[in-house]
Amino acid sequence: MATFRTTGHLAALMRRLAHMLLIAPEGVIIAMLLVINAIAPSIWIGAGITLLVVTFISRITALYLTSRALIDARWDTADALATVAFALHPWSPDALALRGAIALTRGDSATAVRLLQRAQQLAPNRSAIAAALSGALIEQGDAQAAVVAAQRALALEPANAAARLYLAQALAAVGTQAEQIEDYLRAGLAHRPEPDAEVSLRCALAQHLAQEGRLAEAMLALSAARAALRHCSAAQRAIVSQRIAEIDTTIRAGREDYAA
């Protein structure tokens, strides 16, 4: 039993080290160089440590600024910054996921799926990456694979609102019963998501209700989406505003047909 525990602890340690190397390889190398430099001081080792620190700070800054540029809908800036982050660490799941998100905003679902699949392979326990992959697979037209990715995201994080949205959309595409789709959308809202996710969920719910002929309920859902839109990021406002107008047109047309 002692051997089993020792082996298990060693395996856990190796996994932690592998995770550290994946997320911040510079940190592990810097630690090793500091130990070497303490034993045998060298100006070259010091220079190497300085270079690695600068590289690490530059990469983390590029990742952060990429995220901010995406939120502000500055797609070209986000692309340039993500390219820098990727060049500094080609095996970074964060850089790959951000590049996948950028590809999706440009309508390149094939590239988005490829990048997000690579990110998921490197970071299989990241719910956000699995959810993003589900959305990209929906855009690519592979609804069954999107269902699997969304379910994986929810298994990792049950409160992931984006995963519930994509699961509902993917299930609708494969012909799941309307009641089940509505349940997933309402469950996503029950977890009190962030404004961006909330608006997407309410829009999807409004569209779903309109398709089911429940026009009064659809209008209520769409009104709630409009109310939450002002709290969203610039990118989400740019994406969702047109969709809200389209759903509103659909609902009004449905009401006119019903009145006639």
Side-chain angles (χ1 to χ4, degrees):
M1 184 62 69
T3 301
F4 177 77
R5 285 199 298 268
T6 301
T7 303
H9 291 161
L10 179 60
L13 176 61
M14 294 301 293
R15 285 195 296 271
R16 285 196 292 271
L17 287 173
H19 182 71
M20 289 174 62
L21 280 169
L22 184 64
I23 301 301
E26 305 94 342
V28 177
I29 300 171
I30 289 169
M32 293 172 59
L33 289 176
L34 285 171
V35 172
I36 295 172
N37 196 54
I39 298 171
S42 167
I43 189 173
W44 297 110
I45 294 177
I49 292 172
T50 301
L51 179 61
L52 287 169
V53 169
V54 171
T55 299
F56 174 75
I57 293 173
S58 299
R59 182 168 63 81
I60 296 301
T61 301
L63 288 172
Y64 172 76
L65 292 176
T66 300
S67 299
R68 296 304 309 173
L70 280 173
I71 291 172
D72 295 336
R74 293 182 288 118
W75 313 123
D76 291 338
T77 300
D79 190 21
L81 289 165
T83 301
V84 171
F86 179 76
L88 293 173
H89 184 8
W91 301 279
S92 165
D94 296 297
L96 287 165
L98 286 169
R99 292 186 73 205
I102 293 166
L104 199 58
T105 63
R106 293 178 167 175
D108 189 355
S109 60
T111 298
V113 167
R114 177 175 56 80
L115 291 169
L116 288 164
Q117 284 176 335
R118 285 178 60 191
Q120 187 180 59
Q121 289 169 356
L122 292 168
N125 295 324
R126 299 272 289 276
S127 176
I129 292 176
L133 175 59
S134 178
L137 286 165
I138 290 172
E139 293 296 323
Q140 196 177 39
D142 193 346
Q144 195 59 58
V147 169
V148 174
Q151 289 174 335
R152 180 172 185 170
L154 288 171
L156 293 167
E157 184 187 350
N160 190 322
R164 291 192 181 275
L165 170 64
Y166 295 140
L167 180 57
Q169 292 176 339
L171 288 172
V174 299
T176 303
Q177 290 184 346
E179 294 82 1
Q180 188 175 354
I181 295 167
E182 183 179 345
D183 286 344
Y184 277 113
L185 293 171
R186 292 192 184 280
L189 290 168
H191 283 286
R192 299 182 181 277
E194 294 295 320
D196 281 14
E198 179 187 350
V199 167
S200 291
L201 282 164
R202 293 194 184 281
C203 283
L205 179 60
Q207 186 173 29
H208 176 74
L209 293 169
Q211 289 170 348
E212 292 297 301
R214 297 157 62 183
L215 300 180
E217 293 174 79
M219 287 190 68
L220 287 174
L222 198 61
S223 295
R226 284 197 181 95
L229 188 61
R230 64 178 180 270
H231 302 296
C232 291
S233 65
Q236 186 70 341
R237 290 197 300 271
I239 293 169
V240 175
S241 294
Q242 182 178 356
R243 189 179 177 198
I244 287 177
E246 292 170 353
I247 297 170
D248 185 48
T249 300
T250 300
I251 293 172
R252 292 181 184 278
R255 295 185 70 185
E256 290 173 1
D257 289 343
Y258 181 79

